[in-house]
Every structure is written in C-alpha cells, then in structure tokens.
Amino acid sequence: MDRVIIFDTTLRDGEQSAGASLNAQEKLEIARQLEKLGVDVIEAGFPISSPGEFAAVKLIAREIHQPIICALSYAKPAAIDRAWEAIRDAQCSRIHVFLSSSDIHLSLQLKKSRAEVLDTVGAMVSRAKGYTADVEFSPMDASRTQPEFLHQVIETAISAGATTINIPDTVGYAIPDEFGTLIAGIMSKVPNISQAVVSVHCHNDLGLAVANSLEALRHGARQVECTINGIGERAGNASLEEIVMAIKTRHDFLHLTTNIDSTQIYKTSRLVSELTGFLVQPNKAIVGANAFRHQSGIHQDGIIKEAITYEIMNPRDVGIPSSTLVLAKLSGRHAFKERLAELGYVLNEESLNRAFAVFKELAEKKKGVTDRDIESLVAQELRTQTETYRLDHVGVSCGDHSIPTATVRLIGPGSEVLEDAALGTGPVDAVYKAINRIVKVPNQLTEFTVKSVAEGIDAIGEVLIRIESNGVTYTGRGAATDIVVASAKAYMNALNRLLAVRQLAVETEIESRQAEGPI
Ligand code: KIV
Ligand code: ZN
C-alpha cells in the first residue's frame, strides 16, 4: 500500500497550543474546510476534558460526514465512555486511547509498573472496541520507551482489538535515522503488526517533526498525524502542508500518495491562522508569505525565463493565487465577486454587498487592493456574521497635550443603539474602556499586536489581541486602514467570541439537565 492516511489533529493537539482557543462553531468551520481538503481522519477533540470540548466534538460528529471523526481518550473507563458519547452520531467514528509507556513517565508521573500498563492497555482497548470497530492506541512517549517493552505494549493493544497503532514522539526527542529504525523494529518484531496500520505523531521541539514523520513512512508507517501550519503543544506538531507537499513533490523518491486536494492548502492555512490567532511566519514552508517570493536578481531572472529554475512547486498547486495586484477603485462588483471565487470564498448576497462596500472604501484610500487585503476584508465579514454586539462607530481625540478620549456606538443583540464614552491612557485604552462600559464583561487584555497586511503606508493594519476571562483565553482580530478602528474591531471580535462561548455553556447545561430528566 503506497497511500498515506492523513490524520489531522489541528482541532485536538493543535488547539492544545498555549494561547489557542476555538469555540464549537469555529471548530466546525475548520472541520468543514478539513473535509474539503480531503483529510482521512479528523481528531475533533478530547471530550472528557470539558463540557465545551464535548459539545464541539459532538457537533462535528453530527455535521461532518466524509472523514472519520476521532475522539481522544485517557485509558480510563469514564474517558472512553465520554469519547464514545461524543462521536456516536458520526458516520465513521474512531476512539483514540493513549497511555504512557516510557519508564520516565511510568516512574515519575503515572507511578505504575510495566505489568499494570500492559493490563490497562488490554482492558481499555477492549472497552473502546465494545463501542466501535475502529480503535487507535498510542503508547505515549514511545520514542523514549525501551523498544522490547514498546513491542509488548503494541502486541497487547492489537490483541485487544486496536486497528491503528500510533507511535508518538511526544517530546520531539527523536532523530530521523533513529526514529526510522524504531519503526522498522516495530514492523519486523511485533508478531501481530500486520493486523494494524502503523501511524506516527511527531512533535517539533528540535524542528524535526516532518523529517521524522517522512523517515517513518520510509520504514512502513502508513498514517501520519499532523496539524495545519504545524500548530500544537509547545513547538507544535508535524505540519500537514509540509508532509503532503513533500510526498507530492518527491514522489520520485518516496513513491507515496495521499488523498489530499493540495489546492485547498492555502485556504485552510489562512482559516486556521485567522481563527486561532496564530500568525504564520513569513518564511514558513509552503504557506508563508515569502514561500513563493523571489527577491534576489539572479533568482528573479531565472523565474522569468522558466519557473522550474528556482521553484520546485507551482504555487497554484497549494492554492496560492499567482497575481498579487488585482483590483482598483474602478473595479465593479462582478470583478470583486469573481476574484473572491478565485480565492475560494463564496459569500451570500448580503455579505457580498457589505464586503464590496468596504472594498470600495479601501480602494478609495489605496492604489491597488491586493489578494491579502481582500482576504482580510472577507475574514472580517465572516466574523461579523456571528456577532452579538456590532461596532457601528468609533471616534477618538488624542495628542501629546490632551487626555485621550473615545466615543463608541455599538448595535446590541436586539438591534438597539448603545453609546458611551471614556478617557484612557492612550486612544486604544480609551476605546476599550468605552466598549467595556457598554458590554460589561470583565476581562484582561493579555496580548496586543499590530501588523500590516500588505506593503505600503496605505496598507490595511491588522490587530490581533488576546483577552482572558475566568482563566480562558479568547482571540480577536480586526482589520482597517486606521489602527484604532482595527483595535476596536479586534476587541469586539474577542468579546463576541467570549459571549458565544458563554452562551454555548448555558445551552449545554440546559441540554444536559433536560437529558437527565426531572430530579
Ligand atoms: O504527543 C502525544 O503523545 C499525544 C498523544 C495523546 C498521542 O498527543
Ligand atoms: Zn501530541
């Protein structure tokens, strides 16, 4: 078999990244895009970890039909039961059970003997198997586990019914050659290994996650666990786009294929960056802003003559549109709509009209509107569709000898007009205080970043913020040519997310009370 199963864990390990927080609707939006991308398995979350997580996994299991929907579980009965409860409505479901196998974890964290681990693996895989035929087992910290014991754990899990054995390099410690040898040893020494698919799950602490994953594939692994933009715990996980494009571009060497529609990669990357608030570094392979830009004269000369001189992939193959300067102030609604479709966005009439109005406004201020500007506009429009409060107007007065003062007007949940004003230490502080006087949700600002979306003094400024409330972090983004307005939009975006999560928590609570019946 030369097809590699792509197991996407953006919504589970990716969401485990410090600072990422997605609500159920955002997770569903990403899951829909992962389905378009063609991933084989979506690890939708870790249902036992919180009621919100449970609700999000359940929603994805109901709504997404093509990929297998997987739920992660501790090797404990209650966690397995909860995982099944969350995914039981899925067309194809998988329970992923994990338990540490390294002596470091056994002696210092779990306080369990090797014999106890073997017993637990057998019992918990069997329990999951009672719910679904598709069970994955991961010996956590496998790359630091003594190989003979690792083989015993794997054999036990397969005997109990595991159909996928995932080998995690949990702490990103492995070196490619060594990891390849570990996989080769598993393939040749575990007696029942032919009854399971071998998978790998590599973290990027030494920047080797993709290299380790590819090496594992060369030694017989046929499933790779990865995330969009490589997000994940600590330094992240192996990046899906890098693995897929390495397999595609170096088919001559690897002789492998995937089911991924690579033209959806760029759009998926942008969506994940947008919703998690994690910016993609410009030099990031495949999806970074500079990944297909040629700066030096000799490179540009070669590209003009024949792209193959300095380009190993066609940007269109990953869904990056080739032109950068597209529309100007005389461009009509039709041209705008066509450009959006080329970029992969289909808006309903109302959203299209609003986005077009903002485009016109921008084109008045800016000579040429780039694809990046347009994406930013659309992202903004999509954000407004889930708003409880909408920013209608913001005005500030400030300067070196005056007290920064802001007035804001919001449209509330019942379309009521709400206005207030406040003083602050600076214009953004004043705006945030004025908004707080209306929305009245206590929170703390923990991060504030401004960046320009494209080149030039007239470019759109994009503001990314994180706020914290009751120990949970919410991300907000806003874009405008005026950075005070962009800051106000980012704050409203974060507040609306916070309100949406609270609303969902209330609904989940009501739902579970109804399910419990009268007391
Ligand atoms: O990194 C890891 O070991 C994991 C497991 C739960 C598979 O994420
Ligand atoms: Zn992991």
Side-chain angles (χ1 to χ4, degrees):
M1 184 181 105
D2 65 2
R3 187 167 87 73
V4 176
I5 298 166
I6 299 294
F7 176 115
D8 181 277
T9 183
T10 307
L11 298 176
R12 200 279 296 171
D13 221 336
E15 215 233 353
Q16 236 165 280
S17 324
S21 66
L22 296 167
N23 64 37
Q25 283 307 325
E26 290 164 341
K27 282 190 156 199
L28 180 61
E29 200 179 331
I30 292 176
R32 286 197 206 288
Q33 181 56 32
L34 291 172
E35 188 174 35
K36 281 194 200 150
L37 180 65
V39 305
D40 300 287
V41 187
I42 293 178
E43 187 162 53
F46 193 7
I48 192 83
S49 64
S50 73
E53 181 81 348
F54 174 85
V57 177
K58 202 164 181 61
L59 182 69
I60 291 169
R62 281 183 182 159
E63 299 284 325
I64 304 293
H65 305 305
Q66 201 59 39
I68 295 169
I69 304 301
C70 176
L72 183 69
S73 172
Y74 298 121
K76 290 189 179 156
I80 292 172
D81 300 350
R82 191 82 172 140
W84 173 244
E85 197 47 47
I87 56 168
R88 62 184 307 158
D89 298 333
Q91 233 147 62
C92 300
S93 55
R94 176 180 294 184
I95 299 178
H96 177 187
V97 182
F98 73 97
L99 183 64
S100 290
S101 54
S102 68
D103 287 337
I104 300 176
H105 282 207
L106 263 57
S107 62
L108 300 176
Q109 191 184 18
L110 295 187
K111 316 276 184 219
K112 269 186 190 270
S113 68
R114 286 183 172 187
E116 282 173 298
V117 166
L118 290 175
D119 283 351
T120 310
V121 169
M124 292 305 110
V125 170
S126 297
R127 189 177 187 99
K129 194 77 181 177
Y131 289 129
T132 171
D134 189 345
V135 176
E136 173 167 328
F137 176 73
S138 290
M140 189 152 89
D141 205 18
S143 55
R144 293 192 300 170
T145 301
Q146 195 243 340
E148 286 69 32
F149 180 59
L150 182 63
H151 297 166
Q152 271 181 289
V153 172
I154 295 171
E155 188 181 349
T156 307
I158 297 175
S159 299
T163 43
T164 300
I165 293 294
N166 179 47
I167 306 300
D169 181 20
T170 304
V171 289
Y173 180 71
I175 300 292
D177 186 38
E178 175 194 37
F179 198 58
T181 305
L182 178 73
I183 301 300
I186 292 169
M187 301 307 293
S188 64
K189 296 196 179 123
V190 176
N192 53 2
I193 198 67
S194 62
Q195 294 167 36
V197 172
V198 174
S199 166
V200 286
H201 174 113
C202 298
H203 279 270
N204 207 28
D205 300 64
L206 294 172
L208 293 170
V210 170
N212 283 331
S213 305
L214 294 177
E215 198 58 17
L217 291 177
R218 293 187 62 222
H219 287 87
R222 283 296 176 269
Q223 174 176 287
V224 180
E225 303 200 352
C226 43
T227 60
I228 300 297
N229 300 335
I231 63 170
E233 186 83 41
R234 306 181 311 279
N237 288 61
S239 131
L240 180 147
E241 60 277 9
E242 292 175 25
I243 287 173
V244 167
M245 290 315 287
I247 290 174
K248 188 176 163 85
T249 309
R250 296 309 310 275
H251 185 261
D252 61 318
F253 182 76
L254 296 165
H255 307 292
L256 296 168
T257 58
T258 70
N259 264 357
I260 297 294
D261 173 0
S262 64
T263 62
Q264 292 289 329
I265 285 179
Y266 181 66
K267 191 169 173 214
T268 316
S269 162
R270 298 286 300 159
L271 179 70
V272 169
S273 168
E274 164 73 25
L275 294 180
T276 57
F278 289 133
L279 305 177
V280 174
Q281 75 200 53
N283 60 326
K284 164 83 179 62
I286 320 293
V287 290
N290 290 349
F292 293 94
R293 276 187 179 167
H294 305 273
Q295 179 74 17
S296 87
I298 188 162
H299 285 214
Q300 288 180 348
D301 173 64
I303 287 289
I304 290 164
K305 288 180 176 142
E306 204 58 70
I308 195 177
T309 51
Y310 291 94
E311 236 166 40
I312 59 165
M313 293 167 273
N314 184 338
R316 285 187 181 273
D317 282 352
V318 295
I320 295 184
S322 60
S323 66
T324 48
L325 196 68
V326 285
L327 297 171
K329 69 177 180 184
L330 294 179
S331 305
R333 191 172 171 285
H334 186 68
F336 180 68
K337 188 177 173 184
E338 295 249 301
R339 191 68 202 137
L340 285 183
E342 277 170 34
L343 292 170
Y345 297 103
V346 181
L347 300 187
N348 62 30
E349 279 303 294
E350 202 186 316
S351 296
L352 180 68
N353 289 342
R354 275 201 302 260
F356 183 61
V358 182
F359 157 72
K360 278 294 201 190
E361 213 178 288
L362 177 66
E364 280 297 328
K365 295 182 194 158
K366 197 171 184 256
K367 266 208 208 109
V369 179
T370 66
D371 288 344
R372 299 293 299 266
D373 291 328
I374 292 180
E375 281 177 338
S376 188
L377 288 182
V378 173
Q380 179 114 349
E381 178 48 38
L382 294 176
R383 276 196 292 260
T384 60
Q385 290 175 1
T386 52
E387 284 178 341
T388 308
Y389 289 92
R390 187 165 60 77
L391 182 71
D392 189 46
H393 161 83
V394 56
V396 289
S397 95
C398 56
D400 55 355
H401 292 298
S402 59
I403 300 173
T405 312
T407 53
V408 295
R409 187 165 60 231
L410 308 185
I411 307 299
S415 299
E416 67 278 25
V417 176
L418 306 157
E419 282 179 304
D420 218 318
L423 306 177
T425 51
V428 174
D429 184 50
V431 169
Y432 284 19
K433 285 191 171 132
I435 292 173
N436 284 345
R437 287 171 64 89
I438 301 174
V439 180
K440 297 188 177 68
V441 182
N443 69 81
Q444 267 193 317
L445 182 69
T446 55
E447 197 181 319
F448 181 93
T449 325
V450 191
K451 77 166 178 112
S452 154
V453 171
E455 291 91 7
I457 194 78
D458 58 354
I460 290 186
E462 194 168 79
V463 172
L464 165 77
I465 66 159
R466 289 185 215 281
I467 60 173
E468 208 179 289
S469 177
N470 289 337
V472 183
T473 300
Y474 303 87
T475 309
R477 275 187 166 184
T481 45
D482 179 322
I483 58 163
V484 175
V485 178
S487 307
K489 287 180 174 177
Y491 190 44
M492 291 309 303
N493 180 227
L495 285 176
N496 278 316
R497 282 176 167 206
L498 188 163
L499 292 168
V501 170
R502 290 208 177 156
Q503 179 60 24
L504 182 77
V506 171
E507 282 164 15
T508 314
E509 170 85 351
I510 294 170
E511 224 179 72
S512 54
R513 284 216 189 128
Q514 280 167 348
E516 279 162 16
I519 304 165

